[in-house]
């Protein structure tokens, strides 16, 4: 992606959002409200949230709005919403990814579509960013399923090691930034347990989204500046204020002019 490091956007960041995270009669998120404003839907595949009917309805909603569909696989942790690490071997990681990607891909197929990328969820996402062996297992699983599927992963201050691994295995990487999260000096997300880790005010979320889109540095938790090179921006739509923020981010991106 070619971004002017000044004040104007050359190409807008793709907006992605975690979707289909309801389960049975339990409802999570405002998928119908946020879907019209995003580019990519990361759809839960049943291990941390979602079930066959939720998956089918979320795929249909994405297709209705022309939104690209991605698989959002996780550790098998419904009770913990996929946010608890599990001691999975590389083989187990590959198996659980293939099981979940295949399930969503099958639901997409009967509706005339396909899974277009993969974004791991929660603890699996964080673990692969912290452990090169887990990242390799995830990349090899994606490549074995379909080497044409990109993997979405966290943009940090230094993406060179991840990029080298992606190049070695032959998987395209989509580096992702977050509009509503605080960052450390290394470009990693602050722990949710720390104050300032999650931005709740829409104005702060929109400001950070625009900074990322313009290629501007963010203020890290230690007061230093951190630069992220991202091609996609994660937004959330689990309450009315977050949906309003997504809508305003979309409007702001659409209003930025190209040089």
């Amino acid at each position: 992606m070619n971004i002017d490091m000044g004040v104007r956007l050359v190409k807008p960041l793709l907006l992605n959002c975690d979707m289909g995270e309801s389960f049975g009669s339990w409802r999570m998120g405002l998928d119908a409200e946020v879907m019209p404003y995003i580019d990519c839907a990361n759809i839960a595949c049943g291990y941390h949230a979602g079930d066959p009917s939720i998956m089918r309805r979320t795929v249909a909603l994405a297709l209705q709005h022309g939104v690209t569909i991605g698989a959002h696989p996780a550790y098998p942790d419904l009770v913990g919403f996929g946010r608890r690490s599990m001691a999975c071997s590389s083989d187990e990681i590959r198996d659980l990814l293939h099981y979940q990607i295949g399930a969503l891909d099958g639901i997409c197929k009967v509706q005339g579509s396909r899974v277009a990328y993969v974004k791991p969820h929660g603890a699996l996402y964080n673990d692969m960013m912290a452990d090169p062996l887990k990242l390799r297992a995830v990349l090899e699983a994606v490549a074995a399923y379909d080497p044409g599927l990109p993997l979405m992963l966290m943009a940090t201050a230094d993406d060179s090691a991840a990029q080298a691994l992606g190049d070695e295995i032959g998987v395209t990487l989509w580096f992702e930034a977050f509009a509503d999260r605080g960052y450390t000096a290394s470009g990693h997300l602050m722990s949710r347990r720390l104050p300032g880790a999650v931005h709740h005010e829409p104005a702060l979320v929109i400001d950070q989204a625009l900074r990322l889109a313009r290629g501007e540095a963010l203020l890290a938790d230690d007061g230093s500046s951190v630069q992220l090179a991202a091609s996609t921006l994660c937004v959330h739509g689990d309450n009315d204020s977050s949906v309003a923020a997504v809508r305003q981010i979309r409007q702001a991106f659409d209003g930025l002019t190209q040089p």
Side-chain angles (χ1 to χ4, degrees):
M1 191 173 78
N2 181 22
I3 294 182
D4 185 336
M5 301 305 286
V7 297
R8 290 192 295 174
L9 191 74
V10 173
K11 182 178 179 181
L13 299 176
L14 295 173
L15 296 184
N16 79 81
C17 187
D18 300 346
M19 312 288 272
E21 293 186 318
S22 299
F23 184 79
S25 61
W26 183 78
R27 290 293 177 261
M28 172 71 175
L30 298 172
D31 292 0
E33 288 81 0
V34 75
M35 193 72 83
Y37 303 106
I38 63 172
D39 302 293
C40 302
N42 319 314
I43 299 180
C45 304
Y47 267 26
H48 77 282
D51 58 44
S53 296
I54 296 292
M55 292 161 69
R56 172 182 55 79
R57 291 197 292 268
T58 309
V59 166
L61 184 64
L63 293 176
Q64 176 186 341
H65 292 281
V67 172
T68 300
I69 295 167
H72 199 37
Y75 288 131
D77 179 28
L78 275 174
V79 172
F81 199 66
R83 288 180 174 163
R84 301 180 295 187
S85 292
M86 300 182 72
C88 294
S89 68
S90 293
D91 283 343
E92 288 172 325
I93 288 174
R94 285 190 284 267
D95 290 344
L96 66 86
L97 281 167
H98 290 159
Y99 185 91
Q100 293 175 83
I101 297 169
L104 183 63
D105 206 24
I107 288 175
C108 287
K109 183 177 179 180
V110 298
Q111 298 191 56
S113 186
R114 287 290 309 274
V115 166
Y117 66 93
V118 177
K119 177 190 171 180
H121 166 83
L124 178 58
Y125 183 98
N126 291 329
D127 288 352
M128 78 176 188
M129 294 305 305
D131 185 344
L133 291 178
K134 285 187 169 61
L135 179 57
R136 176 178 288 276
V138 169
L139 284 163
E140 289 177 347
V142 172
Y145 187 88
D146 182 349
L149 291 180
L151 175 71
M152 192 179 291
L153 73 170
M154 190 188 305
T156 66
D158 183 3
D159 298 322
S160 57
Q163 187 62 65
L165 194 56
D167 292 343
E168 174 193 335
I169 296 171
V171 174
T172 298
L173 303 182
W174 287 357
F175 288 103
E176 170 187 46
F178 292 78
D180 61 352
R181 294 295 305 275
Y183 280 90
T184 67
S186 64
H188 290 84
L189 297 179
M190 293 174 58
S191 168
R192 288 178 177 269
R193 294 188 295 270
L194 297 174
V198 180
H199 305 322
H200 296 288
E201 294 186 19
L204 293 177
V205 176
I206 296 162
D207 178 71
Q208 183 155 307
L210 289 173
R211 286 181 176 275
L212 289 163
R214 292 170 176 148
E216 298 173 357
L218 302 181
L219 184 67
D221 61 343
D222 65 356
S224 64
S225 295
V226 59
Q227 193 81 43
L228 303 174
S231 56
T232 182
L233 182 73
C234 183
V235 294
H236 294 100
D238 54 358
N239 59 70
D240 289 337
S241 63
S242 62
V243 173
V246 174
R247 184 187 308 115
Q248 291 178 66
I249 290 170
R250 169 57 66 200
Q251 292 170 346
F253 278 17
D254 289 347
L256 288 170
T257 58
Q258 296 194 11

